[in-house]
Amino acid sequence: MPHLTLEYSANLDGRVDMPMLCGELSQAILDTGLFEHGAVRVRALRADTYAVADRVAENGFIDMSFRIGAGRTAEEKKRAGAAIFAAANAFLAPLFATPHFALSLEIREIDAELSWKNNAIHPRLRNK
């Protein structure tokens, strides 16, 4: 159940290769060794309407929300968060050269009793 959702300001179009960023972050998640390959999802959602800080038009953001199932220690969750955040920071380093970009990450643990799933991808990848 590791799902990483990036919400980003529309003014990053043309400045950030979102498909490539999603791929980098997916690999960072897999490289932790904490999550099953068939469960990883990374998606980017563009925010067309937003107001950031002092509302200077150049201000942009990426807010990352990482939802995971229960069962990992606090240290494992911190390690996963640190790996994702480091990969994002490295990829987005050029944006930090300006005073107009903000990046955030939050990890949310899903209550298994309140989460329903049906995944046909798992059996295929488990049999490799």
Side-chain angles (χ1 to χ4, degrees), residues 52-109:
V52 178
D54 59 355
R55 298 185 183 179
V56 171
E58 293 82 15
N59 289 351
F61 69 88
I62 296 178
D63 175 50
M64 300 183 292
S65 176
F66 190 47
R67 297 180 305 126
I68 62 173
R72 287 161 197 86
T73 67
E75 282 306 311
E76 288 172 328
K77 289 184 271 192
K78 286 179 187 177
R79 182 165 54 92
I84 294 165
F85 203 66
N89 270 287
F91 190 90
L92 299 165
L95 296 179
F96 288 106
T98 74
H100 300 287
F101 181 67
L103 177 67
S104 59
L105 169 65
E106 178 184 12
I107 296 178
R108 299 175 186 167
E109 194 169 79

Side-chain angles (χ1 to χ4, degrees), residues 4-118:
L4 180 64
T5 302
L6 287 67
E7 182 180 351
Y8 70 94
S9 56
N11 65 350
L12 295 180
D13 285 349
R15 295 171 56 202
V16 176
D17 183 335
M18 287 298 169
M20 186 173 283
L21 175 58
C22 288
E24 293 284 323
L25 296 174
S26 177
Q27 191 60 53
I29 292 167
L30 290 170
D31 288 348
T32 68
L34 296 171
F35 305 99
E36 193 169 358
H37 198 158
V40 175
R41 312 278 186 282
V42 179
R43 61 183 71 86
L45 308 173
R46 185 177 120 146
D48 289 321
T49 306
Y50 53 90
V52 178
D54 59 355
R55 298 185 183 179
V56 171
E58 293 82 15
N59 289 351
F61 69 88
I62 296 178
D63 175 50
M64 300 183 292
S65 176
F66 190 47
R67 297 180 305 126
I68 62 173
R72 287 161 197 86
T73 67
E75 282 306 311
E76 288 172 328
K77 289 184 271 192
K78 286 179 187 177
R79 182 165 54 92
I84 294 165
F85 203 66
N89 270 287
F91 190 90
L92 299 165
L95 296 179
F96 288 106
T98 74
H100 300 287
F101 181 67
L103 177 67
S104 59
L105 169 65
E106 178 184 12
I107 296 178
R108 299 175 186 167
E109 194 169 79
I110 304 301
D111 182 337
E113 291 185 31
L114 300 173
S115 179
W116 295 262
K117 298 172 208 58
N118 188 0

